[in-house]
Amino acid sequence: MKLQNDLFGYVLVVCCLLLGGIVLLGCGRGLGDVPLEGRITFEGKAVPGGAIQFVPDSDKGNEGTGTSAVIENGRYKTNAKRGVFGGPYVVTVYATDGTTPEDIDTDTSLFDPYVIHVDIPHEGGGFDIAIPQENGEYIKFNKISL
């Protein structure tokens, strides 16, 4: 009987340690996730509202994580726990005039979604995008400390 109780005790301790390790691993940031933040401008002015989306560029071999953030007053900041891995990404900017439309059919977009392909450093940092009036790429990667 004592052997069964000792064995049960050991199994219980091992299970608790394994479960605790799994919980701790699940609560942290993923391996390599880094937050991003920056400014979005259009025609030299801050984009009032919208969203920015970062999708791994699988055509260039990036199988990392994607993320998105809200644009407010020309600034965005990704969630620190749901950043990116770095590497090639497809970035899409959805810019609005910052107002909340009264009607769901009202389009407050400043322009069609702006899509660019970028290589984000694995350490993350600041990422500013200046969107030109005409179709074409104008991007500035500005490294800042987070």
Side-chain angles (χ1 to χ4, degrees):
M1 185 74 165
K2 181 170 174 18
L3 182 60
Q4 278 183 327
N5 286 340
D6 288 344
L7 183 59
F8 177 75
Y10 289 124
V11 170
L12 184 61
V13 168
V14 169
C15 287
C16 287
L17 288 173
L18 287 173
L19 181 61
I22 290 170
V23 167
L24 287 176
L25 285 174
C27 291
R29 265 191 356 207
L31 179 62
D33 277 3
V34 294
L36 293 172
E37 65 180 72
R39 293 181 292 266
I40 308 292
T41 58
F42 176 59
E43 298 178 343
K45 298 176 186 167
V47 169
I52 185 167
Q53 180 181 33
F54 298 88
V55 176
D57 194 339
S58 58
D59 290 343
K60 294 185 179 176
N62 188 351
E63 301 298 326
T65 59
T67 192
S68 62
V70 172
I71 300 169
E72 292 180 12
N73 299 316
R75 299 197 62 80
Y76 74 91
K77 185 174 184 177
T78 63
N79 183 320
K81 293 182 180 179
R82 294 207 170 107
V84 298
F85 279 113
Y89 275 79
V90 178
V91 179
T92 306
V93 175
Y94 305 91
T96 69
D97 64 10
T99 63
T100 303
E102 292 180 25
D103 184 343
I104 195 165
D105 294 325
T106 303
D107 184 7
T108 61
S109 300
L110 295 179
F111 46 82
D112 288 340
Y114 183 73
V115 179
I116 53 174
H117 297 260
V118 297
D119 194 21
I120 296 174
H122 291 279
E123 60 273 3
F127 186 65
D128 295 345
I129 299 175
I131 301 168
Q133 182 176 3
E134 307 251 339
N135 189 12
E137 290 189 15
Y138 178 74
I139 181 168
K140 177 177 151 189
F141 195 88
N142 178 27
K143 179 130 171 80
I144 58 176
S145 299
L146 297 180

